[in-house]
Coordinates of all heavy atoms in Angstrom, one line a residue:
M1 N 24.2 -11.0 21.5 CA 23.9 -10.7 20.1 C 22.4 -10.3 20.0 O 21.6 -11.0 20.5 CB 24.2 -11.9 19.2 CG 23.8 -11.6 17.8 SD 23.9 -13.0 16.7 CE 25.6 -13.0 16.3
I2 N 22.2 -9.1 19.4 CA 20.9 -8.6 19.2 C 20.6 -8.6 17.7 O 21.4 -8.1 16.9 CB 20.7 -7.2 19.7 CG1 20.9 -7.2 21.3 CG2 19.4 -6.6 19.4 CD1 20.9 -5.8 21.9
I3 N 19.5 -9.2 17.3 CA 19.1 -9.3 15.9 C 17.9 -8.3 15.7 O 16.9 -8.5 16.3 CB 18.7 -10.7 15.5 CG1 19.9 -11.7 15.7 CG2 18.3 -10.8 14.0 CD1 19.5 -13.1 15.6
F4 N 18.1 -7.3 14.8 CA 17.1 -6.4 14.5 C 17.0 -6.1 13.0 O 18.0 -6.4 12.3 CB 17.2 -5.1 15.3 CG 18.5 -4.3 15.0 CD1 18.4 -3.3 14.0 CD2 19.7 -4.6 15.6 CE1 19.5 -2.6 13.7 CE2 20.8 -3.9 15.3 CZ 20.7 -2.9 14.3
G5 N 16.0 -5.5 12.5 CA 15.8 -5.2 11.1 C 14.5 -4.6 10.8 O 13.8 -4.0 11.7
T6 N 14.0 -4.7 9.6 CA 12.7 -4.2 9.2 C 12.0 -5.2 8.4 O 12.6 -6.1 7.8 CB 12.8 -2.9 8.4 OG1 13.6 -3.2 7.2 CG2 13.5 -1.8 9.2
K7 N 10.7 -5.1 8.3 CA 9.8 -6.0 7.5 C 8.8 -5.1 6.8 O 8.2 -4.3 7.5 CB 9.2 -7.1 8.3 CG 8.4 -8.0 7.4 CD 8.0 -9.3 8.1 CE 7.2 -10.1 7.1 NZ 6.7 -11.3 7.7
G8 N 8.5 -5.3 5.5 CA 7.5 -4.5 4.8 C 6.2 -5.3 4.7 O 6.2 -6.5 4.5
Y9 N 5.1 -4.6 4.7 CA 3.8 -5.1 4.5 C 3.1 -4.3 3.5 O 3.3 -3.1 3.4 CB 3.0 -5.1 5.8 CG 3.6 -5.9 6.9 CD1 4.5 -5.4 7.8 CD2 3.2 -7.2 7.1 CE1 5.0 -6.1 8.8 CE2 3.7 -8.0 8.1 CZ 4.6 -7.5 9.0 OH 5.2 -8.2 10.0
L10 N 2.3 -4.9 2.6 CA 1.6 -4.3 1.5 C 0.1 -4.6 1.7 O -0.2 -5.8 1.7 CB 2.1 -4.7 0.2 CG 1.5 -4.0 -1.1 CD1 1.8 -2.5 -1.0 CD2 2.1 -4.6 -2.3
Y11 N -0.7 -3.6 1.9 CA -2.2 -3.8 2.0 C -2.9 -3.2 0.9 O -2.6 -2.0 0.5 CB -2.7 -3.2 3.3 CG -2.1 -3.8 4.6 CD1 -1.0 -3.2 5.2 CD2 -2.7 -4.9 5.1 CE1 -0.4 -3.8 6.3 CE2 -2.1 -5.5 6.3 CZ -1.0 -4.9 6.9 OH -0.5 -5.5 8.0
Q12 N -3.8 -3.9 0.3 CA -4.7 -3.3 -0.8 C -5.9 -2.8 -0.1 O -6.7 -3.6 0.4 CB -5.0 -4.4 -1.8 CG -5.7 -3.8 -3.0 CD -5.7 -4.8 -4.1 OE1 -4.7 -5.5 -4.4 NE2 -6.9 -5.0 -4.8
L13 N -6.1 -1.5 -0.2 CA -7.3 -0.9 0.6 C -8.5 -0.8 -0.2 O -9.6 -0.9 0.3 CB -6.9 0.5 1.0 CG -5.6 0.6 1.9 CD1 -5.3 2.1 2.2 CD2 -5.9 -0.1 3.2
A14 N -8.4 -0.5 -1.6 CA -9.6 -0.4 -2.4 C -9.2 -0.5 -3.9 O -8.1 -0.4 -4.2 CB -10.3 0.9 -2.1
I15 N -10.3 -0.7 -4.7 CA -10.1 -0.7 -6.1 C -11.1 0.4 -6.7 O -12.2 0.3 -6.4 CB -10.4 -2.1 -6.8 CG1 -9.4 -3.1 -6.3 CG2 -10.4 -1.9 -8.3 CD1 -9.7 -4.5 -6.8
L16 N -10.5 1.4 -7.4 CA -11.3 2.5 -7.9 C -11.1 2.6 -9.4 O -10.1 2.2 -9.9 CB -10.7 3.8 -7.2 CG -10.7 3.8 -5.7 CD1 -9.5 4.6 -5.3 CD2 -11.9 4.4 -5.2
T17 N -12.1 3.2 -10.0 CA -12.0 3.5 -11.4 C -11.6 5.0 -11.5 O -12.4 5.9 -11.2 CB -13.3 3.2 -12.2 OG1 -13.7 1.9 -12.0 CG2 -13.2 3.5 -13.7
L18 N -10.4 5.3 -12.0 CA -9.9 6.6 -12.2 C -9.3 6.8 -13.6 O -9.0 5.8 -14.2 CB -8.8 6.9 -11.1 CG -9.2 6.7 -9.7 CD1 -8.0 6.8 -8.8 CD2 -10.2 7.8 -9.2
V19 N -9.1 8.1 -14.0 CA -8.4 8.3 -15.2 C -6.9 8.3 -14.9 O -6.5 9.1 -14.0 CB -8.8 9.7 -15.8 CG1 -8.0 10.0 -17.1 CG2 -10.3 9.6 -16.2
C20 N -6.2 7.5 -15.6 CA -4.7 7.4 -15.3 C -4.0 8.6 -15.7 O -4.2 9.1 -16.8 CB -4.2 6.2 -15.9 SG -2.4 5.9 -15.7
G21 N -3.1 9.1 -14.9 CA -2.2 10.2 -15.2 C -1.1 9.8 -16.2 O -0.5 10.7 -16.8
G22 N -0.8 8.5 -16.3 CA 0.3 8.1 -17.1 C -0.2 7.8 -18.6 O 0.4 8.3 -19.5
C23 N -1.2 7.0 -18.7 CA -1.7 6.6 -20.0 C -3.0 7.3 -20.5 O -3.3 7.3 -21.6 CB -1.9 5.1 -20.1 SG -3.2 4.5 -19.0
G24 N -3.7 8.0 -19.5 CA -4.8 8.7 -19.9 C -6.1 7.9 -20.0 O -7.2 8.4 -20.4
N25 N -6.0 6.6 -19.8 CA -7.2 5.7 -19.9 C -8.0 5.7 -18.6 O -7.4 5.6 -17.5 CB -6.8 4.3 -20.3 CG -6.2 4.2 -21.7 OD1 -6.8 4.8 -22.6 ND2 -5.1 3.5 -21.8
P26 N -9.3 5.7 -18.7 CA -10.1 5.4 -17.5 C -10.0 3.9 -17.2 O -10.4 3.1 -17.9 CB -11.5 5.8 -17.9 CG -11.6 5.7 -19.3 CD -10.2 5.9 -19.8
A27 N -9.3 3.6 -16.1 CA -9.1 2.2 -15.7 C -9.2 2.0 -14.2 O -9.2 2.9 -13.5 CB -7.7 1.8 -16.2
A28 N -9.2 0.7 -13.8 CA -9.2 0.4 -12.4 C -7.8 0.7 -11.8 O -6.8 0.5 -12.4 CB -9.5 -1.1 -12.2
H29 N -7.8 1.3 -10.6 CA -6.6 1.6 -9.9 C -6.7 0.9 -8.5 O -7.8 1.0 -7.9 CB -6.5 3.1 -9.7 CG -6.0 3.8 -10.9 ND1 -6.8 4.0 -12.0 CD2 -4.9 4.5 -11.2 CE1 -6.2 4.7 -12.9 NE2 -5.0 5.0 -12.5
T30 N -5.6 0.4 -8.1 CA -5.6 -0.2 -6.7 C -5.0 0.8 -5.8 O -4.0 1.5 -6.1 CB -4.8 -1.5 -6.6 OG1 -3.5 -1.2 -7.1 CG2 -5.5 -2.6 -7.4
L31 N -5.7 1.0 -4.6 CA -5.2 1.9 -3.6 C -4.4 1.0 -2.6 O -5.0 0.1 -2.0 CB -6.3 2.7 -2.9 CG -5.9 3.6 -1.7 CD1 -5.0 4.7 -2.2 CD2 -7.2 4.1 -1.1
R32 N -3.1 1.3 -2.4 CA -2.3 0.4 -1.6 C -1.6 1.2 -0.5 O -1.3 2.4 -0.6 CB -1.2 -0.2 -2.4 CG -1.8 -1.2 -3.5 CD -0.7 -1.8 -4.2 NE -1.3 -2.8 -5.1 CZ -0.6 -3.4 -6.1 NH1 0.7 -3.1 -6.3 NH2 -1.2 -4.2 -6.9
K33 N -1.4 0.5 0.6 CA -0.7 1.1 1.8 C 0.5 0.2 2.0 O 0.4 -1.0 2.2 CB -1.7 1.0 3.0 CG -1.0 1.4 4.3 CD -2.1 1.3 5.4 CE -1.5 1.5 6.8 NZ -2.5 1.4 7.8
R34 N 1.7 0.8 2.1 CA 2.9 0.1 2.4 C 3.3 0.5 3.8 O 3.5 1.7 4.1 CB 4.0 0.6 1.4 CG 3.8 0.0 0.0 CD 5.1 0.1 -0.8 NE 4.9 -0.6 -2.0 CZ 4.7 0.0 -3.2 NH1 4.6 1.3 -3.2 NH2 4.5 -0.7 -4.3
L35 N 3.6 -0.5 4.6 CA 3.9 -0.3 6.0 C 5.2 -1.0 6.3 O 5.4 -2.1 6.0 CB 2.8 -0.9 6.9 CG 2.8 -0.7 8.4 CD1 2.7 0.8 8.7 CD2 1.7 -1.4 9.0
M36 N 6.2 -0.2 6.9 CA 7.5 -0.8 7.2 C 7.5 -0.8 8.7 O 7.3 0.2 9.4 CB 8.6 0.1 6.7 CG 10.0 -0.5 6.9 SD 10.3 -1.9 5.9 CE 10.2 -1.3 4.2
K37 N 7.8 -2.0 9.3 CA 7.9 -2.2 10.8 C 9.3 -2.6 11.2 O 10.0 -3.3 10.5 CB 6.9 -3.3 11.2 CG 5.5 -2.9 11.1 CD 4.6 -3.8 11.8 CE 3.1 -3.4 11.8 NZ 2.3 -4.3 12.5
F38 N 9.7 -2.0 12.4 CA 10.9 -2.4 13.0 C 10.8 -3.8 13.6 O 9.8 -4.1 14.3 CB 11.3 -1.4 14.1 CG 12.5 -1.7 14.9 CD1 13.8 -1.5 14.3 CD2 12.4 -2.3 16.1 CE1 14.9 -1.8 15.1 CE2 13.5 -2.6 16.8 CZ 14.8 -2.4 16.3
T39 N 11.7 -4.6 13.5 CA 11.7 -6.0 14.1 C 12.8 -6.2 15.0 O 14.0 -5.7 14.8 CB 11.7 -7.1 13.0 OG1 12.9 -7.0 12.3 CG2 10.5 -7.0 12.0
L40 N 12.6 -6.9 16.1 CA 13.6 -7.3 17.0 C 13.4 -8.8 17.2 O 12.4 -9.3 17.6 CB 13.4 -6.6 18.4 CG 14.4 -6.8 19.4 CD1 15.8 -6.3 19.0 CD2 14.0 -6.1 20.7
F41 N 14.5 -9.5 16.9 CA 14.5 -11.0 16.9 C 13.3 -11.5 16.1 O 12.6 -12.4 16.5 CB 14.4 -11.5 18.4 CG 15.6 -11.3 19.2 CD1 15.6 -10.3 20.2 CD2 16.8 -11.9 19.0 CE1 16.7 -10.0 20.9 CE2 17.9 -11.7 19.7 CZ 17.9 -10.7 20.7
F42 N 13.2 -10.9 14.9 CA 12.2 -11.3 13.9 C 10.7 -11.1 14.3 O 9.8 -11.6 13.7 CB 12.4 -12.8 13.4 CG 13.8 -13.1 13.0 CD1 14.7 -13.7 13.8 CD2 14.2 -12.6 11.8 CE1 16.0 -14.0 13.4 CE2 15.5 -12.8 11.3 CZ 16.4 -13.5 12.1
V43 N 10.5 -10.3 15.3 CA 9.2 -10.0 15.8 C 8.9 -8.5 15.4 O 9.6 -7.6 15.9 CB 9.0 -10.2 17.3 CG1 7.6 -9.8 17.8 CG2 9.3 -11.6 17.7
P44 N 7.9 -8.3 14.6 CA 7.6 -6.9 14.2 C 7.0 -6.1 15.4 O 6.1 -6.6 16.1 CB 6.5 -7.0 13.1 CG 6.2 -8.4 13.0 CD 7.0 -9.2 13.9
L45 N 7.6 -5.0 15.8 CA 7.2 -4.3 17.0 C 6.4 -3.0 16.7 O 5.3 -2.9 17.3 CB 8.5 -3.9 17.8 CG 9.3 -5.1 18.3 CD1 10.5 -4.6 19.0 CD2 8.5 -5.9 19.3
F46 N 6.9 -2.1 15.9 CA 6.2 -0.9 15.7 C 6.5 -0.4 14.3 O 7.5 -0.6 13.7 CB 6.5 0.2 16.7 CG 8.0 0.5 16.8 CD1 8.6 1.4 16.0 CD2 8.8 -0.2 17.7 CE1 9.9 1.7 16.1 CE2 10.1 0.0 17.9 CZ 10.7 1.0 17.1
P47 N 5.5 0.4 13.7 CA 5.7 0.9 12.3 C 6.7 2.1 12.3 O 6.7 2.9 13.2 CB 4.3 1.4 11.9 CG 3.6 1.6 13.2 CD 4.2 0.7 14.2
I48 N 7.6 2.1 11.3 CA 8.5 3.2 11.2 C 8.2 4.1 10.0 O 8.7 5.2 9.9 CB 10.0 2.7 11.2 CG1 10.2 1.7 10.1 CG2 10.4 2.1 12.5 CD1 11.6 1.2 9.9
S49 N 7.4 3.5 9.0 CA 7.0 4.4 7.9 C 5.7 3.8 7.3 O 5.5 2.6 7.3 CB 8.1 4.5 6.8 OG 8.2 3.3 6.0
T50 N 4.9 4.7 6.8 CA 3.7 4.3 6.1 C 3.6 5.2 4.8 O 3.7 6.4 4.9 CB 2.4 4.6 7.0 OG1 2.6 3.9 8.2 CG2 1.2 4.2 6.3
R51 N 3.3 4.5 3.7 CA 3.2 5.2 2.4 C 1.9 4.7 1.7 O 1.6 3.5 1.8 CB 4.4 5.1 1.6 CG 5.6 5.7 2.2 CD 6.8 5.6 1.3 NE 7.9 6.3 2.0 CZ 9.2 6.1 1.7 NH1 9.5 5.4 0.6 NH2 10.1 6.7 2.4
Y52 N 1.3 5.6 1.0 CA 0.1 5.3 0.2 C 0.4 5.6 -1.3 O 1.1 6.5 -1.6 CB -1.1 6.1 0.7 CG -1.5 5.9 2.1 CD1 -1.0 6.6 3.1 CD2 -2.4 4.9 2.4 CE1 -1.3 6.4 4.4 CE2 -2.8 4.6 3.7 CZ -2.3 5.4 4.7 OH -2.6 5.2 6.0
A53 N -0.2 4.7 -2.2 CA -0.1 4.9 -3.6 C -1.2 4.3 -4.3 O -1.9 3.4 -3.8 CB 1.2 4.3 -4.1
T54 N -1.5 4.8 -5.5 CA -2.5 4.2 -6.4 C -1.7 3.6 -7.6 O -0.7 4.2 -8.0 CB -3.5 5.2 -7.0 OG1 -2.9 6.2 -7.6 CG2 -4.4 5.7 -5.8
Q55 N -2.1 2.5 -8.1 CA -1.5 1.9 -9.3 C -2.5 1.5 -10.3 O -3.5 0.9 -10.1 CB -0.7 0.6 -8.9 CG 0.1 0.0 -10.1 CD 0.9 -1.1 -9.6 OE1 0.7 -1.7 -8.6 NE2 1.9 -1.4 -10.5
C56 N -2.2 2.0 -11.6 CA -3.1 1.7 -12.7 C -3.0 0.3 -13.1 O -1.9 -0.2 -13.3 CB -2.7 2.6 -13.9 SG -3.7 2.4 -15.4
T57 N -4.1 -0.4 -13.3 CA -4.1 -1.8 -13.7 C -3.9 -2.0 -15.2 O -3.6 -3.0 -15.7 CB -5.4 -2.6 -13.3 OG1 -6.5 -1.9 -13.8 CG2 -5.5 -2.6 -11.7
F58 N -4.0 -0.8 -15.9 CA -3.9 -0.9 -17.4 C -2.4 -0.8 -17.8 O -1.9 -1.6 -18.5 CB -4.7 0.2 -18.0 CG -4.7 0.2 -19.5 CD1 -5.6 -0.7 -20.2 CD2 -4.0 1.0 -20.3 CE1 -5.6 -0.8 -21.5 CE2 -4.0 1.0 -21.7 CZ -4.8 0.1 -22.3
C59 N -1.7 0.2 -17.3 CA -0.3 0.5 -17.7 C 0.7 0.2 -16.6 O 1.9 0.2 -16.8 CB -0.1 1.9 -18.2 SG -0.3 3.2 -17.0
G60 N 0.2 0.1 -15.3 CA 1.1 -0.1 -14.2 C 1.7 1.1 -13.5 O 2.5 1.0 -12.6
T61 N 1.4 2.3 -14.0 CA 1.9 3.5 -13.4 C 1.5 3.7 -12.0 O 0.3 3.5 -11.6 CB 1.4 4.8 -14.2 OG1 1.8 4.7 -15.6 CG2 1.9 6.1 -13.6
E62 N 2.4 4.0 -11.1 CA 2.1 4.1 -9.7 C 2.3 5.6 -9.3 O 3.2 6.2 -9.7 CB 3.1 3.3 -8.8 CG 2.7 3.3 -7.4 CD 3.5 2.2 -6.6 OE1 3.3 1.0 -7.0 OE2 4.2 2.6 -5.7
Q63 N 1.3 6.1 -8.6 CA 1.3 7.5 -8.1 C 1.2 7.6 -6.6 O 0.3 7.0 -6.1 CB 0.2 8.3 -8.8 CG 0.2 9.7 -8.5 CD -0.9 10.5 -9.2 OE1 -1.5 9.9 -10.1 NE2 -1.2 11.7 -8.8
K64 N 2.1 8.3 -6.0 CA 2.0 8.4 -4.5 C 0.9 9.4 -4.2 O 0.7 10.4 -4.9 CB 3.4 9.0 -4.0 CG 4.5 8.0 -4.1 CD 5.8 8.6 -3.6 CE 6.9 7.7 -3.9 NZ 8.2 8.2 -3.4
V65 N 0.2 9.1 -3.1 CA -0.8 10.0 -2.5 C -0.6 10.2 -1.1 O 0.1 9.4 -0.4 CB -2.2 9.4 -2.8 CG1 -2.6 9.3 -4.3 CG2 -2.4 8.0 -2.2
T66 N -1.2 11.2 -0.5 CA -1.0 11.5 0.9 C -2.0 10.7 1.7 O -2.9 10.1 1.1 CB -1.3 13.0 1.2 OG1 -2.6 13.3 0.9 CG2 -0.3 13.9 0.5
R67 N -1.9 10.6 3.0 CA -2.8 9.9 3.8 C -4.2 10.4 3.7 O -5.2 9.6 3.6 CB -2.3 10.0 5.3 CG -3.2 9.2 6.2 CD -2.6 9.3 7.6 NE -3.7 8.9 8.6 CZ -3.8 9.4 9.8 NH1 -2.9 10.3 10.2 NH2 -4.7 9.0 10.6
E68 N -4.4 11.7 3.7 CA -5.7 12.3 3.5 C -6.3 12.0 2.2 O -7.5 11.6 2.2 CB -5.6 13.9 3.7 CG -5.2 14.3 5.1 CD -3.7 14.2 5.4 OE1 -2.9 14.1 4.4 OE2 -3.3 14.2 6.6
Q69 N -5.5 12.0 1.1 CA -6.1 11.6 -0.2 C -6.5 10.2 -0.2 O -7.5 9.8 -0.8 CB -5.0 11.9 -1.3 CG -4.8 13.3 -1.6 CD -3.6 13.5 -2.5 OE1 -2.7 12.8 -2.5 NE2 -3.7 14.6 -3.3
A70 N -5.7 9.3 0.5 CA -6.0 7.9 0.5 C -7.3 7.6 1.3 O -8.1 6.8 0.9 CB -4.8 7.1 1.2
E71 N -7.5 8.4 2.4 CA -8.7 8.2 3.1 C -9.9 8.7 2.3 O -11.0 8.1 2.3 CB -8.6 9.0 4.4 CG -7.7 8.4 5.4 CD -7.4 9.3 6.6 OE1 -7.9 10.5 6.7 OE2 -6.8 8.8 7.6
Q72 N -9.8 9.8 1.5 CA -10.8 10.3 0.7 C -11.2 9.2 -0.4 O -12.3 9.0 -0.7 CB -10.5 11.6 0.0 CG -10.5 12.8 1.0 CD -10.0 14.0 0.4 OE1 -9.5 14.1 -0.8 NE2 -10.1 15.1 1.1
L73 N -10.1 8.7 -1.0 CA -10.3 7.7 -2.1 C -11.0 6.4 -1.5 O -11.9 5.8 -2.2 CB -9.0 7.3 -2.8 CG -8.4 8.4 -3.6 CD1 -7.0 8.0 -4.1 CD2 -9.3 8.6 -4.9
Q74 N -10.6 6.0 -0.3 CA -11.2 4.9 0.3 C -12.7 5.1 0.6 O -13.5 4.2 0.4 CB -10.4 4.5 1.6 CG -10.7 3.1 2.0 CD -9.7 2.7 3.1 OE1 -8.9 3.5 3.6 NE2 -9.8 1.4 3.5
A75 N -13.0 6.3 1.1 CA -14.4 6.7 1.4 C -15.2 6.7 0.1 O -16.4 6.3 0.0 CB -14.5 8.0 2.1
Q76 N -14.6 7.2 -1.0 CA -15.2 7.3 -2.3 C -15.5 5.8 -2.8 O -16.6 5.6 -3.3 CB -14.3 8.0 -3.3 CG -14.8 8.0 -4.7 CD -13.8 8.6 -5.7 OE1 -12.9 9.3 -5.3 NE2 -14.0 8.4 -6.9
A77 N -14.6 4.9 -2.6 CA -14.8 3.5 -3.0 C -15.9 2.9 -2.2 O -16.7 2.1 -2.7 CB -13.5 2.7 -2.8
A78 N -16.1 3.2 -0.9 CA -17.1 2.7 -0.1 C -18.5 3.2 -0.5 O -19.5 2.5 -0.3 CB -16.8 3.0 1.4
G79 N -18.5 4.4 -1.0 CA -19.8 5.0 -1.4 C -20.3 4.7 -2.8 O -21.5 4.8 -3.1
T80 N -19.4 4.2 -3.6 CA -19.8 3.8 -5.0 C -20.3 2.4 -5.1 O -19.8 1.5 -4.4 CB -18.7 4.0 -6.0 OG1 -17.5 3.7 -5.4 CG2 -18.6 5.4 -6.6
P81 N -21.4 2.1 -5.9 CA -21.9 0.8 -6.0 C -20.9 -0.2 -6.5 O -20.8 -1.3 -6.1 CB -23.0 0.9 -7.0 CG -23.3 2.4 -7.1 CD -22.1 3.1 -6.7
G82 N -20.0 0.2 -7.4 CA -19.0 -0.7 -8.0 C -17.7 -0.8 -7.2 O -16.9 -1.6 -7.4
G83 N -17.5 0.1 -6.2 CA -16.3 0.2 -5.4 C -16.2 -1.0 -4.5 O -17.2 -1.5 -3.9
R84 N -15.0 -1.5 -4.3 CA -14.8 -2.6 -3.4 C -13.7 -2.2 -2.4 O -12.5 -2.5 -2.6 CB -14.3 -3.8 -4.2 CG -15.4 -4.4 -5.1 CD -14.8 -5.5 -5.9 NE -13.9 -5.0 -6.9 CZ -13.2 -5.8 -7.7 NH1 -13.3 -7.1 -7.6 NH2 -12.4 -5.3 -8.6
P85 N -14.1 -1.7 -1.2 CA -13.2 -1.3 -0.2 C -12.8 -2.6 0.6 O -13.7 -3.3 1.0 CB -13.9 -0.3 0.6 CG -15.3 -0.6 0.5 CD -15.5 -1.2 -0.9
Y86 N -11.6 -2.8 0.8 CA -11.2 -3.9 1.7 C -9.7 -3.6 2.1 O -9.0 -2.9 1.4 CB -11.4 -5.2 1.1 CG -10.8 -5.4 -0.3 CD1 -9.5 -6.0 -0.4 CD2 -11.4 -5.1 -1.4 CE1 -8.9 -6.1 -1.6 CE2 -10.9 -5.2 -2.7 CZ -9.6 -5.8 -2.8 OH -9.1 -5.9 -4.0
A87 N -9.3 -4.3 3.1 CA -7.9 -4.2 3.5 C -7.4 -5.6 3.7 O -7.6 -6.3 4.7 CB -7.7 -3.4 4.8
Q88 N -6.7 -6.1 2.7 CA -6.2 -7.5 2.8 C -4.7 -7.4 2.5 O -4.2 -6.7 1.6 CB -6.9 -8.4 1.8 CG -6.4 -8.2 0.3 CD -7.2 -9.2 -0.6 OE1 -8.3 -9.5 -0.4 NE2 -6.5 -9.6 -1.6
P89 N -4.0 -8.1 3.3 CA -2.5 -8.1 3.2 C -2.1 -8.9 1.9 O -2.8 -9.9 1.5 CB -2.0 -8.8 4.4 CG -3.1 -9.6 5.0 CD -4.4 -8.9 4.5
Q90 N -1.1 -8.4 1.2 CA -0.6 -9.1 0.0 C 0.8 -9.6 0.4 O 1.3 -9.4 1.5 CB -0.5 -8.1 -1.1 CG -1.9 -7.7 -1.6 CD -1.7 -6.8 -2.9 OE1 -0.7 -6.1 -3.0 NE2 -2.8 -6.8 -3.7
Q91 N 1.5 -10.1 -0.6 CA 2.8 -10.6 -0.4 C 3.7 -9.4 0.0 O 3.5 -8.3 -0.6 CB 3.3 -11.3 -1.6 CG 2.6 -12.6 -2.0 CD 2.7 -13.6 -0.9 OE1 3.8 -13.8 -0.3 NE2 1.7 -14.4 -0.7
P92 N 4.7 -9.6 0.8 CA 5.6 -8.5 1.1 C 6.2 -8.0 -0.2 O 6.5 -8.7 -1.1 CB 6.7 -9.1 2.0 CG 6.0 -10.3 2.6 CD 5.0 -10.8 1.6
H93 N 6.3 -6.6 -0.3 CA 6.8 -6.0 -1.5 C 8.3 -6.3 -1.8 O 9.1 -6.1 -0.9 CB 6.5 -4.5 -1.5 CG 6.9 -3.8 -2.7 ND1 6.2 -3.9 -3.9 CD2 7.9 -2.9 -2.9 CE1 6.8 -3.2 -4.8 NE2 7.8 -2.5 -4.2
Q94 N 8.6 -6.7 -3.0 CA 10.0 -7.0 -3.3 C 10.3 -6.1 -4.5 O 9.6 -6.0 -5.5 CB 10.2 -8.4 -3.8 CG 9.9 -9.4 -2.7 CD 10.9 -9.4 -1.6 OE1 12.1 -9.1 -1.9 NE2 10.6 -9.8 -0.4
H95 N 11.4 -5.3 -4.4 CA 11.8 -4.4 -5.5 C 12.6 -5.3 -6.5 O 13.4 -6.1 -6.1 CB 12.7 -3.3 -5.0 CG 12.0 -2.3 -4.2 ND1 11.1 -1.4 -4.9 CD2 11.9 -2.0 -2.9 CE1 10.6 -0.6 -3.9 NE2 11.1 -0.9 -2.8
P96 N 12.3 -5.1 -7.8 CA 13.1 -5.9 -8.8 C 14.6 -5.5 -8.7 O 14.9 -4.3 -8.6 CB 12.5 -5.4 -10.2 CG 11.3 -4.7 -9.8 CD 11.3 -4.2 -8.4
G97 N 15.4 -6.5 -8.7 CA 16.8 -6.3 -8.7 C 17.4 -6.1 -7.3 O 18.5 -5.8 -7.1
A98 N 16.5 -6.2 -6.3 CA 16.9 -6.0 -4.9 C 17.2 -7.3 -4.2 O 16.7 -8.3 -4.4 CB 15.9 -5.2 -4.1

């Protein structure tokens, strides 16, 4: 018997102040990286997908960004005095109703 599957990881890369595309307010946005890894016998082996997104802390709107855009936003956060770049793992992402 072989046991395999996937496990998701959510990393918060930076916090930026941007104008939200959903509500139009200048608010803090978290830049997040979602990583899905293939597991064999509950051991994560290699990544099978990576996605980046920003989420408005005011209204909760999430917007997908490309890897290049995420790198630019992360560099922008590192260059600003108020920006806080970091990569810390959060709880595995759970979809509501899943």
Side-chain angles (χ1 to χ4, degrees):
M1 177 188 274
I2 297 176
I3 301 172
F4 64 93
T6 60
K7 182 171 181 180
Y9 297 89
L10 183 63
Y11 296 95
Q12 187 168 316
L13 302 176
I15 297 177
L16 305 145
T17 302
L18 303 169
V19 176
C20 180
C23 64
N25 290 315
H29 285 68
T30 55
L31 176 62
R32 295 181 176 167
K33 174 181 172 180
R34 287 195 175 102
L35 186 64
M36 187 68 66
K37 289 190 176 184
F38 175 80
T39 61
L40 183 63
F41 294 105
F42 306 104
V43 177
L45 296 178
F46 55 88
I48 55 174
S49 76
T50 303
R51 296 187 180 164
Y52 297 90
T54 60
Q55 184 175 19
C56 177
T57 58
F58 187 77
C59 68
T61 301
E62 187 168 299
Q63 182 177 349
K64 294 179 183 177
V65 294
T66 64
R67 179 178 166 212
E68 292 78 21
Q69 290 172 329
E71 289 172 354
Q72 288 175 352
L73 289 170
Q74 198 170 4
Q76 177 184 341
T80 33
R84 294 179 286 176
Y86 54 92
Q88 75 180 33
Q90 294 183 332
Q91 295 296 323
H93 182 68
Q94 298 288 329
H95 289 287

